[in-house]
Amino acid sequence: MTTALRVLALMLLAAVAGCGPTEDHGEAASSCAGAVRYENRVYLPAGEIAFTVGERLGSAEILECDDTPGDSDTTIPQGTTGAYAVQGREPAEAVAVGDTAAEARLMEVG
């Protein structure tokens, strides 16, 4: 499975499993599904927002994630994928990630 497909599968898994912000003793907890790290910043999927992919910046690290401890089938393995600039935005606030520019999805600092 390509890295881009793995990221997409993780996002779909999170949506189907109901992962995301949840209440935990009055504090919100966020899902780690789909999270990547680029230049020591963690980015989360931005959703369906229009954007234009720019030049390739390097590689982003897909963070290992286990939102459901005790269920080894839902652990997201660590990996890497391409990181791309987003036109009109600084990399410190948003990047696009995917194996190719055409497959890249918008990610924003989380």
Side-chain angles (χ1 to χ4, degrees):
M1 181 181 311
T2 68
T3 304
L5 288 175
R6 194 176 308 141
V7 170
L8 181 58
L10 298 175
M11 287 187 272
L12 290 173
L13 176 62
V16 170
C19 293
T22 59
E23 292 300 318
D24 183 24
H25 304 290
E27 297 179 21
S30 296
S31 171
C32 58
V36 299
R37 179 179 295 126
Y38 174 72
E39 290 191 343
N40 296 317
R41 289 182 293 271
V42 174
Y43 297 81
L44 299 171
E48 299 300 320
I49 300 171
F51 69 100
T52 302
V53 177
E55 67 183 39
R56 184 177 168 100
L57 300 171
S59 294
E61 174 187 8
I62 299 169
L63 302 179
E64 183 174 349
C65 177
D66 184 0
D67 278 349
T68 54
D71 186 358
S72 62
D73 291 340
T74 60
T75 299
I76 297 167
Q78 185 174 355
T80 59
T81 190
Y84 299 86
V86 175
Q87 289 185 5
R89 305 212 34 205
E90 293 295 319
E93 64 182 46
V95 294
V97 297
D99 289 335
T100 66
E103 297 174 341
R105 297 194 45 93
L106 181 63
M107 308 290 279
E108 294 179 328
V109 170

